[in-house]
Amino acid sequence: MASVNSLASTLQQQLADALTAALPDAGTADPLLRRSDRADFQANGILALAKKLKGNPRELAAQVTAAVPADGPIKEIEVSGPGFLNITLSDRAIIETLAARDADDEGRLGVPYNSAAGTTVIDYAQPNVAKEMHVGHLRSAVIGDAMAQILEFTGETVIRRHHIGDWGTQFGMLIQYLIEHPGELSHEGGEGDGEAAMSSLNRLYKASRALFDSDEEFKARSRDRVVALQAGDEETLAMWQRFVDESKIYFYSVFNKLDMEIRDADIVGESGYNDMLTETCRLLEESGVAVRSEGALCVFFDDVKGPDGNPVPLIVQKSNGGFGYAATDLSAIRDRVQNLKASSLLYVVDARQALHFKMVFETARRAGWLNEDVNAVQLAFGTVLGKDGKPFKTREGETVRLADLLDEAIDRASVVVREKAQDLTEEEIAERAAQVGIGAVKYADLSTSAARDYKFDLDQMVSLNGDTSVYIQYAHARSRSIKRKAGELKPQPHPELELAPAERALGLHLDQFGEVVAEVAAAYEPHRLAAYLYQLSSLFTAFYDQCPVLRTDVPQDVAENRLFLSDLTARTLHQGMELLGIRTPERL
């Protein structure tokens, strides 16, 4: 089935045509349409046009009004103030448009695909091998996963890349210790036990670090081991692979708890670009993009200077021949543009890396690896704060383990679910608690503009009141409950009916879903989808209070129409929350 034009886009087109018909001298003019609290929509474009044409704006507005077709979705159009147009749509147009959305046999609610869709490589969820995931890893994973799903829904080809920290000098220490203590990576837990895997890695890391700091001979052997690793020595690489595999068991256990699928093929860590590093440096040096400075290969920028006023370069290769992060990141850009044919590169990375990525992108442009056809963006995110507004730590001042945080969210959610639970088994309560708890954590993150810091407050996150995922999940479950209780009554649109104010408000908001998704995908702003879903839930709550569906004194056609609006709300909430990576249980 074809996509469904929103009422706003239909109206926009009709007003633009009317402007052209009434004012041929105006050329193509934008009616500047927006939602209004005085009517359904307001068009403000005539004011600027009147200024340009040196005409009276109210007279021009009247001419445009006369040129609007009578058989369209408009019920009433009036000239207001200095020349605004206040527009009210017909109830019939609202219900007919929603009926078309409901009938979409692809299950997309009539949302169109992006006609300019390309290929986006999205870099997110970047934990480090042999290190525990902490609260700082949360935002990249949650924001990246949501953006990947939103972009795919609009028709974009999305290639996920998890640039894990799996290379570097610390592996010399770890591998050398494992060679000298071969039993240290065995653990008691069952196959795929993430906690046991992390426990082994933690123990080994602490023991090897203690030895490295206290034993000069071990330190020397560890440094030799780094050389062997970088040279591709087989035994060393095999040991390194054990660390990577063990870490993946742990990573997957955490991502699984986050209700997030991370595929093996998408994990391409720092080591994945090793073979390209020398060539990347050669190409940069030969083209003059990078120059040698005190033995290091550097790229300089006019606008990047240190506190002393001297230029701060991007160091691609160190004076000792080692490669920095820049060499790996630039090699990744070459791979993603030249081999994966990306039209967009999206990096979901901490805002504190902004200068690094600015320099890396500029270097890639100078080298010709990024051009007008490729858009490179850092979706920078802020810090997770505690209730006190300071970076989130344990009482002992330690970084908070991500797995512990998620367990606590599920525990808190189980209290809320148990209080509300009707006819749920213990198994169902546990399942809902996971969906509510993890949903609460994700939504708190996603409902804040990514660039801002946000406070991690579990009590607030699992509250049934306010802007929380539980509020939205509860609205969805309430709609599903109405449908279950409706029995023989079927959702049925009735365009001939007059709508109550709460029905109209809900219907107009439902119609905006596709436009919101398109805006979110274009601007990489998932918080705008969260805001839309919260508002939809609020409008549905008002509708639920004011427009009874199943009461015996409600005429059948009105009841069917209200059941139709309720059902479409549930489908829209489910689809929107799914794009954010959040479950919507049928019962709560």
Side-chain angles (χ1 to χ4, degrees):
M1 174 178 162
S3 60
V4 179
N5 285 333
S6 70
L7 290 161
S9 63
T10 302
L11 198 52
Q12 171 85 9
Q13 189 58 55
Q14 288 199 347
L15 288 173
D17 292 345
L19 276 168
T20 307
L23 311 165
D25 299 342
T28 53
D30 186 348
L32 297 178
L33 190 70
R34 61 180 180 81
R35 288 299 305 274
S36 168
D37 53 5
R38 308 227 171 145
D40 293 332
F41 291 91
Q42 189 174 75
N44 302 337
I46 290 167
L47 295 179
L49 206 55
K51 206 171 184 181
K52 180 179 159 189
L53 298 175
K54 297 184 170 54
N56 179 312
R58 281 189 67 90
E59 286 175 13
L60 291 181
Q63 286 174 259
V64 172
T65 302
V68 171
D71 59 348
I74 297 173
K75 176 185 176 185
E76 190 181 342
I77 182 167
E78 63 161 6
V79 180
S80 169
F84 302 133
L85 294 180
N86 285 339
I87 301 153
T88 302
L89 301 178
S90 71
D91 292 348
R92 174 175 288 278
I94 294 171
I95 294 298
E96 283 180 346
T97 301
L98 295 181
R101 294 198 176 290
D102 183 64
D104 178 359
D105 53 14
E106 284 187 43
R108 292 177 54 81
L109 303 170
V111 176
Y113 288 102
N114 177 8
S115 57
T119 297
T120 294
V121 175
I122 177 167
D123 188 325
Y124 69 103
Q126 309 109 344
N128 293 310
V129 165
K131 287 190 182 169
E132 205 142 25
M133 288 178 72
H134 55 77
V135 68
H137 291 111
L138 180 66
R139 299 206 74 186
S140 175
V142 169
I143 295 167
D145 186 57
M147 274 319 311
Q149 296 193 72
I150 290 164
L151 288 167
E152 279 180 333
F153 186 71
T154 65
E156 190 80 1
T157 298
V158 175
I159 300 172
R160 293 159 171 80
R161 277 293 174 267
H162 308 297
H163 192 89
I164 64 171
D166 66 351
W167 204 248
T169 52
Q170 78 273 19
F171 284 100
M173 173 185 87
L174 291 165
I175 292 166
Q176 189 60 35
Y177 189 86
L178 187 59
I179 286 172
E180 295 176 17
H181 305 81
E184 279 296 310
L185 261 193
S186 56
H187 49 79
E188 295 299 315
E191 188 64 32
D193 186 331
E195 280 297 314
M198 194 63 242
S199 177
S200 298
L201 289 165
N202 259 342
R203 191 174 62 246
L204 195 147
Y205 187 86
K206 284 174 182 168
S208 61
R209 168 57 69 185
L211 195 58
F212 186 86
D213 290 342
S214 62
D215 184 333
E216 288 300 320
E217 289 183 7
F218 177 73
K219 187 180 281 188
R221 293 196 298 276
S222 296
R223 287 181 171 149
D224 290 342
R225 188 59 62 183
V226 174
V227 176
L229 177 64
Q230 291 175 341
D233 171 68
E234 275 190 30
E235 183 197 18
T236 306
L237 278 175
M239 286 293 188
W240 167 81
Q241 190 64 50
R242 283 189 67 189
F243 280 101
V244 174
D245 292 343
E246 196 75 9
S247 297
K248 280 184 182 177
I249 294 172
Y250 163 67
F251 294 160
Y252 289 149
S253 74
V254 178
F255 288 127
N256 195 39
K257 197 167 279 186
L258 262 173
D259 198 15
M260 197 176 285
E261 187 188 3
I262 303 283
R263 292 185 294 258
D264 227 47
D266 301 334
I267 295 182
V268 183
E270 292 166 350
S271 64
Y273 305 99
N274 283 345
D275 295 346
M276 300 176 71
L277 301 180
T278 303
E279 188 184 15
T280 294
C281 291
R282 180 180 63 77
L283 292 169
L284 289 171
E285 193 167 10
E286 285 178 2
S287 63
V289 171
V291 294
R292 292 281 167 189
S293 174
E294 297 175 25
L297 186 62
C298 303
V299 183
F300 288 91
F301 307 86
D302 293 339
D303 58 345
V304 183
K305 293 184 170 63
D308 55 3
N310 291 327
V312 176
L314 182 72
I315 299 173
V316 185
Q317 189 175 23
K318 300 168 193 171
S319 55
N320 66 0
F323 300 103
Y325 289 127
T328 309
D329 287 335
L330 288 162
S331 299
I333 288 175
R334 284 177 56 213
D335 176 58
R336 292 166 185 185
V337 174
Q338 294 165 5
N339 299 329
L340 301 179
K341 309 298 181 195
S343 49
S344 294
L345 302 176
L346 184 60
Y347 292 79
V348 188
V349 182
D350 191 315
R352 289 169 291 193
Q353 299 293 323
L355 179 60
H356 170 77
F357 278 100
K358 178 186 170 192
M359 293 161 85
V360 165
F361 293 161
E362 175 59 27
T363 300
R365 281 189 196 97
R366 291 180 191 175
W369 303 328
L370 284 179
N371 53 37
E372 312 77 66
D373 300 329
V374 185
N375 186 33
V377 177
Q378 181 195 0
L379 202 178
F381 56 82
T383 307
V384 183
L385 306 175
K387 287 184 189 180
D388 57 2
K390 295 174 183 170
F392 198 21
K393 303 275 187 192
T394 64
R395 284 179 186 164
E396 294 74 35
E398 301 282 318
T399 308
V400 179
R401 293 176 70 234
L402 185 51
D404 291 346
L405 200 69
L406 300 178
D407 286 340
E408 190 179 348
I410 294 167
D411 287 346
R412 296 283 183 96
S414 67
V415 175
V416 176
V417 172
R418 195 176 292 282
E419 277 175 12
K420 282 278 176 188
Q422 294 173 352
D423 315 322
L424 292 183
T425 64
E426 282 300 313
E427 191 179 341
E428 286 170 328
I429 288 172
E431 182 191 15
R432 302 295 191 283
Q435 293 177 348
V436 169
I438 298 304
V441 170
K442 288 183 175 183
Y443 185 85
D445 192 319
L446 293 166
S447 59
T448 306
S449 168
R452 288 175 51 201
D453 300 342
Y454 82 98
K455 286 185 183 176
F456 197 95
D457 181 347
L458 275 176
D459 292 327
Q460 173 56 33
M461 288 179 189
V462 298
S463 170
L464 281 163
N465 303 313
D467 187 2
T468 65
S469 65
V470 196
Y471 180 78
I472 298 170
Q473 288 170 324
Y474 191 64
H476 173 269
R478 181 178 258 175
S479 171
R480 286 292 177 229
S481 169
I482 294 171
K483 192 173 183 181
R484 281 194 303 274
K485 290 173 184 171
E488 297 295 306
L489 192 73
K490 294 288 177 272
Q492 186 71 39
H494 283 276
E496 73 282 0
L497 290 175
E498 191 175 320
L499 296 177
E503 293 173 314
R504 293 187 97 259
L506 181 63
L508 285 166
H509 196 69
L510 281 168
D511 186 50
Q512 289 179 283
F513 178 62
E515 286 175 352
V516 170
V517 169
E519 288 163 8
V520 166
Y524 306 132
E525 292 182 334
H527 71 276
R528 290 166 67 178
L529 177 55
Y532 168 86
L533 295 170
Y534 173 60
Q535 196 181 350
L536 180 57
S537 302
S538 301
L539 289 167
F540 176 72
T541 302
F543 162 84
Y544 179 85
D545 291 340
Q546 297 166 30
C547 304
V549 180
L550 305 179
R551 228 168 50 193
T552 52
D553 60 342
V554 178
Q556 182 169 337
D557 56 351
V558 173
E560 287 174 344
N561 199 55
R562 286 176 179 174
L563 190 58
F564 162 73
L565 284 170
S566 172
D567 190 51
L568 190 59
T569 299
R571 291 180 59 200
T572 306
L573 289 174
H574 172 77
Q575 180 63 76
M577 291 288 264
E578 189 171 67
L579 294 179
L580 295 179
I582 300 172
R583 303 273 179 180
T584 42
E586 295 283 306
R587 298 171 189 260
L588 261 186

